[in-house]
Amino acid sequence: MRREQSQSSCMTDAEPDIISSLPGHIIDHILSHLSIKEAVRTSVLSTKWRYKWATLPNLVFDSQCISETSEDLLDIKSKLSRIIDHVLLLHSGPIRKFKLSHRELIGVTDIDRWTLHLTRRPVKEFVLEIWKGQRYKIPTCLFSCQGLHHLELFNCWLKPPSTFHGFRNLKSLDLQHVTLAQDAFENLISSCPLLERLTLMNFDGFNHLNIRSPNLQFFDIGGKFDDISFENTSQLAVVSIGLYVNFESNQSRLHGHSSNLVEFLICLPRIQRLEIQSYFLKYLAMGVVPVKLPTPCIDLSYLSIRINFNDSKEISAALCLLRNSPNLRELEILARPEEQPVPIAHHTYCWEEVCLSWPVMRVQHVRIDGISGIKPELDFVNFLLQYSPVLEKMAVKPALNTGPELVKDLLRFRRASTRAEVTYLD
Amino acid sequence: MSKTVKDAIETIPTDEINSISLSLVRSEILTKVIEYCKKHNSAQMSDVDLMDWDVEFANVHYTTLFDLVLSANYMNINCLLDLVCGKIADMIKGKTPGEIAKLFDIKDVSTYEEDN
C-alpha cells in the first residue's frame, strides 16, 4: 500500500510539529482522555501517529465505540466485534485495564476469545458488563489470571474450576447480578488474601454469607440472604448492608441468645461508616438486644439506618447502636414503609428507661426521611433533639401525603442544642 | 508538589543546597508552574473555585500547553500533568483528523485509512 506524501511537504526536512514529538507516555496520557474510537482515529494524522495509540494502557469499549445509528442489531454486533478484534490485535505493550460494556453485546464465543487474549497480556483490571440476556458464563481462563487487581462483573455466572485457588493479587471485587455456588463463593472470598474492597449486589446461588477476609476495608452488599457473619475482618471500616427480603422473624430461633447485632459488631471493631438498609435492621434486632455492647464502636462516625418505627425491637437495636457509638457525628434515619398495615405496637416504647442513663451524644448532623408523624416517629425525633447538645443541623423530609401536623409537632420539641437548625424539606 | 524537586531535596545534604538545577524548564514556563503550585497549595479556594481557576489557567495557546506538559512531566507534578493532558485531549475531541492536523500543524498527513 503506497502512502502519498502531500504536495506541500517539501517541508519533510523541517522541524516536526511539537505534539508529534512529545514522549510516548505523555501521548498515552492525552489519548487516555479520549474514547477508544477517537484515540484510534489519531492513527491517520500522520505516519508518525500510525501506532501512537497502540500503547494505550486502558481499553474501554462502551457505547461511545459505535455511532448509534438505526442499524440493525446484527450489524452493530459485528461492527463492535471487528473493532475489538482490530484493537486487540494491533495493541502493543501491557494492557492495564479492559472494560467491555455495551448494550448490544455480542455472542458468547467472542468474549471468551478476548478474555483468553487478555489473560496473556496480563490485564490488571477487568470489567465486563452484560446488559441483557441470561447470565454470561465466565470462561475458565479468567480464573488463572493472577495479575488481576480489580475484577468487576455484571450479569455473569461464575463457576471456578477445581484448580482455582484464588486471585493472589486481587484488591477489589465487584459482583452484581451474578450466580455463584455457595462453596465457590466462600472459596473465592477467603482465597484472595489482599482483598480490600468487596461489592456484592443481587446475587443468587448462595444464601449464607461468611466473610473471611483479613485486609477487607470496604464492604457493600445488597441482596437476599439468610445470615451473615464475619471472621477475621478487623480492618473493615466502611460497611453497607441491605437485606432485600422481609423474612418472617422466627423469634424462637434466637430466644435467649444474644442478638445478631452483638455478633455483627464484635467482628467490626474499627468500623467508621455503617449503612443498614432495607430489612437488615430487622435481622440485627433478632435475639436479645442489649443495652450496652461488650465494646463500644469508638470509630463509628457515620450511621445510616432504614427502620420500621412500628417495630419496638428495631427501635431497641437502633438505640443500642446510638448509645454505644460515642463518636458518632452524622446520623441518617430512613423510615421503612411497610406494605401491609402493621398492627399498632402492643406497648408503646418505654422511653423513660432509655432516658434515665443516656450518655452524651455528639451527633452534629441528622437527616430523617419518610416519616409521617406517627407517635413512635415523633418520640424518636423528640429524643434526638433533647439528647444532642452539639447538634447543628437536622433535616426532616416527610413521606408523601403527610399533613401539616408534623411540622407543628416538630416545632414544639425542646432542643438541647441552641445552635440546632431544623429544616423541613417538602 | 513536584516529585523531582522533592527527590532532589531529599538526596542532596541540606547545607549544600543553594539552587536546584531545572535545566530543561524555560523561565516563563517555570513562572506559570510556580503559579499553579502556589494556588493549589494555598488551600484558600474551594474545590469548585479551584476547578474554575484551573480551566482559566489552561486556557492558553497550545504551544504553551505543550511546554507545560513537558515541564510537569520533568518536574513530576501529577495533577498539573493531568490538567494539561486533559486540556489537550479536549482540543482533539470531536474533530476530524484533518481538523486536528490543521490545529497542531501536523504535516505529512497519511492517506492510509484505518478501518474504524
Side-chain angles (χ1 to χ4, degrees):
Chain A
M1 244 168 284
R2 207 165 56 87
R3 280 192 309 282
E4 290 175 0
Q5 298 267 337
S6 75
Q7 285 304 331
S8 61
S9 71
C10 45
M11 307 251 259
T12 36
D13 292 353
E15 54 189 83
D17 54 280
I18 317 172
I19 191 172
S20 307
S21 319
L22 290 175
H25 66 278
I26 294 189
I27 304 263
D28 278 348
H29 207 131
I30 297 171
L31 293 182
S32 64
H33 287 262
L34 301 171
S35 70
I36 189 91
K37 182 178 176 190
E38 293 200 287
V40 175
R41 226 176 16 187
T42 61
S43 59
V44 303
L45 283 176
S46 75
T47 48
K48 278 207 168 126
W49 279 84
R50 265 290 268 294
Y51 297 113
K52 280 198 195 280
W53 68 267
T55 48
L56 276 177
N58 301 335
L59 300 176
V60 174
F61 298 97
D62 54 23
S63 43
Q64 289 182 317
C65 266
I66 323 176
S67 33
E68 302 262 358
T69 54
S70 56
E71 298 175 39
D72 74 290
L73 226 58
L74 233 51
D75 214 24
I76 295 183
K77 278 183 174 188
S78 74
K79 230 180 168 182
L80 188 56
S81 189
R82 264 194 356 254
I83 292 175
I84 300 178
D85 274 336
H86 177 89
V87 169
L88 285 180
L89 209 56
L90 288 179
H91 189 280
S92 70
I95 297 180
R96 191 172 66 210
K97 171 178 171 178
F98 178 85
K99 174 173 172 176
L100 180 50
S101 168
H102 194 280
R103 213 171 52 210
E104 316 297 349
L105 209 45
I106 317 87
V108 164
T109 43
D110 291 305
I111 304 179
D112 281 2
R113 196 162 32 86
W114 296 326
T115 309
L116 180 59
H117 177 91
L118 288 162
T119 57
R120 294 171 178 162
R121 296 307 291 262
V123 69
K124 287 204 164 112
E125 281 182 46
F126 185 81
V127 180
L128 179 61
E129 293 174 358
I130 310 290
W131 288 41
K132 38 190 204 189
Q134 40 176 226
R135 304 253 200 264
Y136 167 69
K137 181 160 185 287
I138 297 291
T140 317
C141 56
L142 186 65
F143 294 102
S144 50
C145 187
Q146 288 301 333
L148 277 178
H149 282 206
H150 172 72
L151 177 61
E152 195 174 321
L153 301 172
F154 188 96
N155 196 16
C156 295
W157 173 24
L158 287 90
K159 198 163 178 237
S162 51
T163 48
F164 176 63
H165 293 299
F167 291 111
R168 272 197 309 269
N169 294 301
L170 196 69
K171 282 195 168 165
S172 161
L173 180 61
D174 187 330
L175 302 174
Q176 304 199 24
H177 291 270
V178 293
T179 303
L180 186 54
Q182 180 72 47
D183 51 354
F185 167 72
E186 285 182 15
N187 184 33
L188 175 61
I189 304 302
S190 57
S191 62
C192 298
L194 298 185
L195 197 65
E196 289 174 6
R197 296 179 65 95
L198 176 59
T199 300
L200 282 171
M201 291 285 166
N202 296 305
F203 44 88
D204 52 73
F206 56 98
N207 290 330
H208 306 285
L209 298 165
N210 183 12
I211 312 293
R212 246 180 310 151
S213 191
N215 285 308
L216 200 63
Q217 292 164 19
F218 172 94
F219 181 59
D220 185 4
I221 179 175
K224 299 182 180 168
F225 53 91
D226 289 342
D227 48 72
I228 182 167
S229 60
F230 296 86
E231 218 180 292
N232 192 10
T233 47
S234 55
Q235 301 300 318
L236 259 183
V238 179
V239 173
S240 171
I241 305 188
L243 174 56
Y244 295 165
V245 61
N246 185 6
F247 55 93
E248 278 309 307
S249 78
N250 189 357
Q251 283 299 321
S252 57
R253 182 150 70 95
L254 282 175
H255 187 64
H257 290 220
S258 71
S259 71
N260 285 338
L261 181 64
V262 175
E263 298 300 319
F264 177 71
L265 290 171
I266 273 180
C267 302
L268 307 175
R270 292 213 181 82
I271 187 151
Q272 293 168 20
R273 290 181 66 96
L274 177 59
E275 282 177 28
I276 300 175
Q277 298 172 349
S278 285
Y279 295 95
F280 193 53
L281 190 64
K282 188 173 178 184
Y283 169 89
L284 288 174
M286 282 170 64
V288 178
V289 179
V291 166
K292 264 192 97 160
L293 290 173
T295 29
C297 306
I298 44 174
D299 290 330
L300 192 65
S301 64
Y302 174 90
L303 177 64
S304 168
I305 322 181
R306 174 77 60 181
I307 182 172
N308 175 12
F309 278 105
N310 280 315
D311 184 340
S312 55
K313 289 219 72 182
E314 288 194 32
I315 298 185
S316 294
L319 288 174
C320 175
L321 269 166
L322 286 178
R323 182 196 288 271
N324 291 280
S325 309
N327 295 311
L328 193 68
R329 292 281 176 273
E330 262 185 80
L331 176 64
E332 182 180 63
I333 309 266
L334 309 163
R336 193 172 71 228
E338 291 296 296
E339 295 87 16
Q340 309 98 348
V342 179
I344 307 293
H346 296 300
H347 52 88
T348 51
Y349 199 80
C350 186
W351 284 100
E352 289 79 24
E353 259 180 55
V354 170
C355 298
L356 264 177
S357 57
W358 194 265
V360 174
M361 275 206 298
R362 295 209 176 84
V363 175
Q364 291 173 349
H365 296 270
V366 176
R367 183 178 164 106
I368 309 194
D369 230 298
I371 56 173
S372 45
I374 59 174
K375 189 165 187 313
E377 293 169 352
L378 294 176
D379 285 342
F380 200 92
V381 177
N382 190 6
F383 162 75
L384 282 176
L385 285 169
Q386 282 198 32
Y387 285 86
S388 308
V390 295
L391 184 68
E392 300 206 359
K393 281 197 166 89
M394 177 186 278
V396 177
K397 187 153 190 244
L400 291 168
N401 305 321
T402 300
E405 292 77 28
L406 177 57
V407 189
K408 294 184 195 161
D409 289 322
L410 289 174
L411 277 172
R412 246 195 318 122
F413 295 147
R414 292 208 175 87
R415 306 171 193 183
S417 162
T418 49
R419 293 163 54 88
E421 208 181 276
V422 178
T423 41
Y424 189 78
L425 309 161
D426 55 4
Chain B
M1 287 198 75
S2 161
K3 198 167 176 303
T4 308
V5 173
K6 180 170 179 265
D7 287 346
I9 293 176
E10 281 172 2
T11 46
I12 306 173
T14 19
D15 39 341
E16 282 180 34
I17 295 180
N18 288 316
S19 56
I20 298 170
S21 160
L22 294 169
S23 50
L24 291 178
V25 187
R26 280 202 335 267
S27 55
E28 314 93 79
I29 297 300
L30 187 59
T31 316
K32 271 203 89 88
V33 173
I34 292 175
E35 189 192 339
Y36 177 87
C37 292
K38 272 191 177 157
K39 205 69 184 185
H40 275 250
N41 266 338
S42 69
Q44 270 171 355
M45 298 171 84
S46 70
D47 285 340
V48 174
D49 289 337
L50 204 55
M51 272 169 59
D52 288 339
W53 187 87
D54 278 352
V55 167
E56 265 308 301
F57 179 83
N59 196 11
V60 291
H61 191 262
Y62 73 80
T63 45
T64 315
L65 280 179
F66 294 150
D67 283 331
L68 278 172
V69 91
L70 287 168
S71 310
N73 177 53
Y74 174 66
M75 292 179 71
N76 222 319
I77 307 172
N78 284 330
C79 41
L80 179 57
L81 191 61
D82 267 335
L83 172 65
V84 185
C85 286
K87 176 72 190 187
I88 300 173
D90 281 343
M91 295 171 81
I92 297 178
K93 260 180 212 165
K95 295 197 169 69
T96 66
E99 286 166 349
I100 301 172
K102 194 152 178 246
L103 176 62
F104 293 117
D105 210 26
I106 301 175
K107 304 288 190 300
D108 184 24
V109 178
S110 166
T111 55
Y112 180 84
E113 283 287 7
E114 295 283 328
D115 182 359
N116 244 351

